[in-house]
């Protein structure tokens, strides 16, 4: 049994850091190990390792693209690295490191390609620039997407968006051949992304994106989102924003026109506690090969908030969550990468429970023991949350050695 004790300040710092930081997904979307007539010799493997190291360390931050080769003769290997055009230098390199390790672990062939959330690596036993063959694929991983109520209307909206973005990517003067954007539809917004590798001419990029559009229409005719991957271009659409804006690349996240800044506030609310417990529960579920009967106990010491004081940070986040919930757009509040790595219904359930914990009337809020039960069971129905209340920490003088006017409680949750 592992026991974790966390103070209120640590809870606040952890939860805010968890909320604002968008990690690079370490799991590949798809890999393709392609046999060729060239043998996978020890010399080829040595050259491949050297090539991959070069791609990781030397892909320019300004373009996010590099192609190179290493070795000579039959053991010469050519490689190509591409990062998504919206990611920063750090995330690009981290993704390429994961892709380099992943492709070595998965493939023992002389040609292979691996796609991650924000990057891809492709290697060949010959000069890949001499042949461009489109072969679109959909990811192996499940995105738990739902069917839309009016697929024809919805498909028409995102098809127009992808065509518009494709034209913009091809004609963009900066030469990145990458575009993101969104469009309105009857129930909200649709977000789209297109990208081509920089080694192909604009004419080939246009052909590749058109082919990918045809495939995504065929593979995802009525889903809320879809993605097609290929060696030279990628196309994707979703009902939540899954890409970064320019401000995101600089370390913050823009949402609905408002810039959020990381504020470390030493405060605690039940909703933050729920987020913490959800995060820990998701972590446990995602652990590889858990031991039979292994259990974890969380002992969380937290301070109750004195109402009705208001924290601008807390009010902003809670109010935004509440408004999106009322509008049926709660997915827009969630980190896009969380949406892709966990079932949507589980994430929305955690948000639902969090809103129940911050209802204005304390009598309407569930007890922490009830919260543990609700988090551990997806079958227990939840009541609709009511208008939230707000709270902030007390302002304490520097020379005050201890907290005043506080109540302390310990909550212990066991997760099997």
């Amino acid at each position: 049994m592992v026991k974790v004790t966390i103070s209120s300040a640590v809870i606040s710092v952890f939860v805010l850091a968890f909320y604002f930081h968008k990690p690079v997904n370490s799991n590949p979307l798809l890999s393709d190990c392609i046999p060729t007539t060239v043998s996978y010799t020890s010399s080829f493997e040595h050259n491949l390792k050297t090539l991959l190291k070069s791609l990781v360390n030397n892909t320019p931050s300004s373009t996010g693209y590099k192609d190179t080769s290493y070795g000579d003769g039959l053991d010469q290997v050519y490689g190509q690295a591409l990062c998504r055009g919206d990611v920063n230098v750090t995330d690009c390199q981290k993704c390429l490191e994961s892709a380099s390790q992943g492709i070595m672990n998965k493939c023992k062939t002389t040609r292979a390609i691996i796609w991650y959330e924000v990057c891809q690596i492709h290697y060949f036993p010959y000069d890949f620039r001499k042949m461009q063959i489109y072969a679109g694929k959909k990811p192996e991983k499940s995105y738990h997407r739902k069917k839309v109520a009016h697929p024809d209307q919805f498909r028409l909206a995102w098809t127009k968006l992808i065509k518009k973005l494709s034209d913009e990517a091809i004609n963009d003067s900066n030469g990145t051949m990458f575009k993101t954007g969104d469009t309105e539809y009857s129930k909200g917004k649709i977000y789209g992304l297109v990208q081509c590798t920089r080694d192909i001419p604009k004419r080939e990029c246009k052909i590749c994106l058109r082919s990918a559009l045809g495939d995504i229409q065929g593979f995802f005719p009525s889903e809320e989102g879809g993605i097609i991957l290929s060696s030279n271009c990628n196309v994707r659409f979703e009902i939540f924003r899954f890409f970064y804006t320019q401000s995101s690349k600089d370390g913050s996240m823009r949402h609905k026109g408002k810039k959020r800044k990381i504020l470390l506030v030493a405060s605690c609310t039940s909703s933050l506690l729920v987020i913490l417990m959800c995060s820990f529960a998701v972590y446990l579920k995602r652990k590889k090969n858990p031991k039979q009967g292994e259990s974890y106990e969380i002992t969380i010491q937290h301070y109750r908030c004195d109402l009705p004081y208001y924290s601008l940070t807390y009010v902003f986040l809670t109010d935004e969550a509440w408004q999106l919930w009322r509008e049926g757009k709660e997915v827009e509040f969630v980190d896009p990468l969380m949406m892709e790595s966990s079932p949507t219904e589980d994430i929305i359930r955690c948000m639902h429970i969090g809103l129940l914990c911050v209802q204005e009337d304390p009598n309407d809020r569930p007890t922490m023991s009830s919260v543990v039960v609700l988090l551990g069971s997806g079958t227990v129905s939840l009541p609709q949350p009511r208008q939230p209340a707000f709270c902030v920490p007390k302002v304490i003088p520097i020379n005050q050695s201890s907290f005043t006017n506080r109540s302390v409680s310990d909550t212990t949750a066991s997760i099997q």
Side-chain angles (χ1 to χ4, degrees):
M1 178 176 291
V2 178
K3 188 172 184 179
V4 183
T5 302
I6 309 174
S7 69
S8 61
V10 174
I11 291 175
S12 300
V13 172
F14 175 86
V15 173
L16 288 172
F18 175 83
Y19 179 83
F20 284 106
H21 177 64
K22 300 176 71 174
V24 175
N25 198 329
S26 60
N27 299 316
L29 300 176
L30 181 68
S31 60
D32 191 12
C33 308
I34 308 166
T36 70
T37 57
V38 179
S39 300
Y40 189 90
T41 64
S42 58
S43 296
F44 182 91
E45 184 176 34
H46 170 76
N47 292 341
L48 174 60
K49 290 179 179 178
T50 305
L51 173 90
L52 293 175
K53 184 177 180 180
S54 175
L55 291 176
V56 171
N57 295 330
N58 300 318
T59 296
S61 59
S62 58
T63 63
Y65 175 81
K66 182 176 179 61
D67 58 62
T68 187
S69 64
Y70 188 82
D72 52 55
L74 293 178
D75 294 322
Q76 186 173 13
V77 56
Y78 297 81
Q80 177 190 76
L82 175 69
C83 284
R84 220 170 62 184
D86 58 322
V87 299
N88 59 32
V89 178
T90 302
D91 285 351
C92 175
Q93 186 168 29
K94 285 182 179 179
C95 184
L96 291 178
E97 289 173 354
S98 297
S100 174
Q101 296 170 5
I103 204 168
M104 287 296 299
N105 293 335
K106 289 178 174 291
C107 299
K108 297 298 179 182
T109 54
T110 51
R111 181 183 176 187
I113 182 169
I114 192 165
W115 293 269
Y116 278 71
E117 183 66 34
V118 298
C119 75
Q120 65 188 60
I121 285 182
H122 196 175
Y123 71 79
F124 313 71
Y126 43 78
D127 190 347
F128 55 87
R129 291 166 294 191
K130 295 180 179 179
M131 59 177 299
Q132 305 293 344
I133 300 176
Y134 172 82
K137 300 176 182 293
K138 67 176 183 177
E140 294 171 337
K141 64 176 291 187
S142 172
Y143 280 79
H144 309 282
R145 295 186 178 95
K146 297 179 181 179
K147 302 286 186 179
V148 296
H150 304 286
D152 292 338
Q153 177 189 2
F154 184 72
R155 184 169 59 252
L156 178 62
W158 67 254
T159 296
K160 287 183 178 180
L161 173 62
I162 296 300
K163 287 182 177 179
K164 174 178 175 291
L165 295 177
S166 297
D167 290 339
E168 291 177 355
I170 295 166
N171 297 316
D172 197 341
S173 58
N174 62 18
T176 60
M177 291 191 286
F178 169 85
K179 276 293 175 182
T180 60
D182 59 73
T183 187
E184 299 282 348
Y185 81 109
S186 59
K187 292 188 177 181
K189 283 188 175 183
I190 306 173
Y191 300 84
L193 177 151
V194 301
Q195 183 173 27
C196 290
T197 56
R198 290 196 170 200
D199 60 304
I200 63 175
K202 292 183 177 181
R203 179 178 57 84
E204 295 296 332
C205 177
K206 183 176 183 179
I207 294 173
C208 188
L209 291 176
R210 282 184 175 178
S211 300
L213 176 59
D215 280 344
I216 204 169
Q217 288 172 329
F219 281 121
F220 307 95
S222 58
E223 280 79 5
E224 291 179 333
I227 180 171
I228 289 294
L229 307 167
S230 74
S231 58
N232 292 115
C233 69
N234 303 312
V235 171
R236 182 177 180 184
F237 74 93
E238 304 285 357
I239 59 170
F240 57 88
R241 184 172 63 79
F242 56 91
F243 48 80
Y244 295 84
T245 63
Q246 183 59 41
S247 60
S248 303
K249 295 178 70 174
D250 298 332
S252 60
M253 182 174 65
R254 187 174 300 277
H255 183 72
K256 300 190 75 174
K258 300 176 181 177
K259 187 174 182 180
R260 299 174 180 170
K261 297 181 180 179
I262 300 176
L263 301 176
L264 300 182
V265 182
S267 63
C268 170
T269 67
S270 297
S271 60
L272 295 185
L273 182 59
V274 168
I275 295 173
L276 175 64
M277 296 176 69
C278 285
S279 305
F280 195 78
V282 170
Y283 166 74
L284 295 181
K285 288 182 180 180
R286 288 171 62 91
K287 284 193 65 179
K288 295 181 179 179
N289 303 319
K291 297 179 182 179
Q292 185 69 26
E294 185 178 27
S295 64
Y296 292 78
E297 183 178 276
I298 312 171
T299 302
I300 301 175
Q301 185 180 70
H302 68 282
Y303 300 98
R304 301 179 186 219
C305 296
D306 295 324
L307 299 174
Y309 296 96
Y310 296 86
S311 163
L312 292 179
T313 304
Y314 175 72
V315 168
F316 172 72
L317 295 178
T318 307
D319 181 65
E320 185 177 20
W322 173 246
Q323 293 302 325
L324 289 172
W325 180 273
R326 292 182 62 189
E327 296 169 6
K329 301 176 181 178
E330 55 270 18
V331 292
E332 295 185 17
F333 188 74
V334 183
D335 187 322
L337 294 183
M338 287 185 64
M339 295 292 295
E340 294 156 4
S341 60
S342 304
T344 302
E345 55 269 23
D346 290 352
I347 297 173
I348 299 305
R349 184 176 180 85
C350 284
M351 183 176 176
H352 191 160
I353 295 170
L355 288 173
L356 290 175
C357 289
V358 293
Q359 296 176 103
E360 188 169 10
D361 187 347
N363 295 323
D364 292 333
R365 304 171 195 164
T367 63
M368 290 313 301
S369 58
S370 299
V371 168
V372 172
V373 174
L374 296 176
L375 288 172
S377 173
T379 59
V380 179
S381 60
L382 302 175
Q384 285 301 310
R386 299 181 179 180
Q387 176 73 37
F390 311 102
C391 66
V392 297
K394 291 286 189 181
V395 178
I396 302 173
I398 296 176
N399 60 359
Q400 189 167 335
S401 60
S402 61
F403 289 99
T404 59
N405 296 327
R406 68 186 185 186
S407 59
V408 181
S409 63
D410 290 327
T411 301
T412 301
S414 295
I415 302 176
Q416 300 293 335

